[in-house]
Amino acid sequence: MATVFERPKFLTDTPFHYCPGCHHGIIHKLVAESLVELGLLDDAGFARRRAAELLRKRKSRREILQDLAAKGVDRETAAAAVEALRPEDAAEAGEDPDLASARALIARQYARKLAEGKTQQVMAALARRGFSHSVIKAAVGEAVEELETGNGE
């Protein structure tokens, strides 16, 4: 049997609290279809812009994915947007964007704590921000080594 109607991807399966005779569901469908036709409703474009904004704020990939999911972007679209991100300087070197973000965060916010010997606190703070253990270990290791060579001179 041929499919007569299929729920559009842009309409989520959310129950509404309207009276059954008002046809608000039809109105929502028509408005959503119009927004898509006009190009005003584009999850992929929104995900790319939001992910780029969060990367500029030095968020981890995991944190970006969580933010996009909270905004209603499906996993596949969010993952594609995050994978497309690479900072300009890191893209040339083939560097991991998370590692670049972790390094920048350490330099900007956590350098003083590392200088005071509070390595575990810095590692815990980065973990709370969604960075993986390997990225944290590499970034903190590099920062500590840089501090030691800077102090040793």
Side-chain angles (χ1 to χ4, degrees), residues 39-77:
L40 299 175
L41 188 64
D42 178 19
D43 278 353
F46 170 76
R48 283 191 306 273
R49 288 187 304 274
R50 180 75 178 163
E53 175 188 345
L54 292 173
L55 186 65
R56 278 191 300 277
K57 292 180 179 179
R58 300 299 183 191
K59 304 292 184 184
S60 67
R61 281 188 275 185
R62 186 175 301 150
E63 199 170 7
I64 293 170
L65 287 171
Q66 289 174 346
D67 181 81
L68 290 174
K71 298 286 185 194
V73 178
D74 63 283
R75 285 183 182 183
E76 294 80 25
T77 306

Side-chain angles (χ1 to χ4, degrees), residues 85-106:
L85 290 177
R86 286 190 99 47
E88 294 79 24
D89 54 345
E92 295 170 3
E95 185 180 41
D96 181 19
D98 273 355
L99 186 57
S101 293
R103 280 186 191 132
L105 274 172
I106 289 171

Side-chain angles (χ1 to χ4, degrees), residues 8 10-12 14-18 23-35 41:
F10 53 84
L11 282 179
T12 58
T14 305
F16 296 108
H17 302 284
Y18 302 123
H23 305 293
H24 283 99
I26 294 171
I27 294 170
H28 283 139
K29 177 183 175 292
L30 294 173
V31 168
E33 285 176 348
S34 299
L35 290 173
L41 188 64

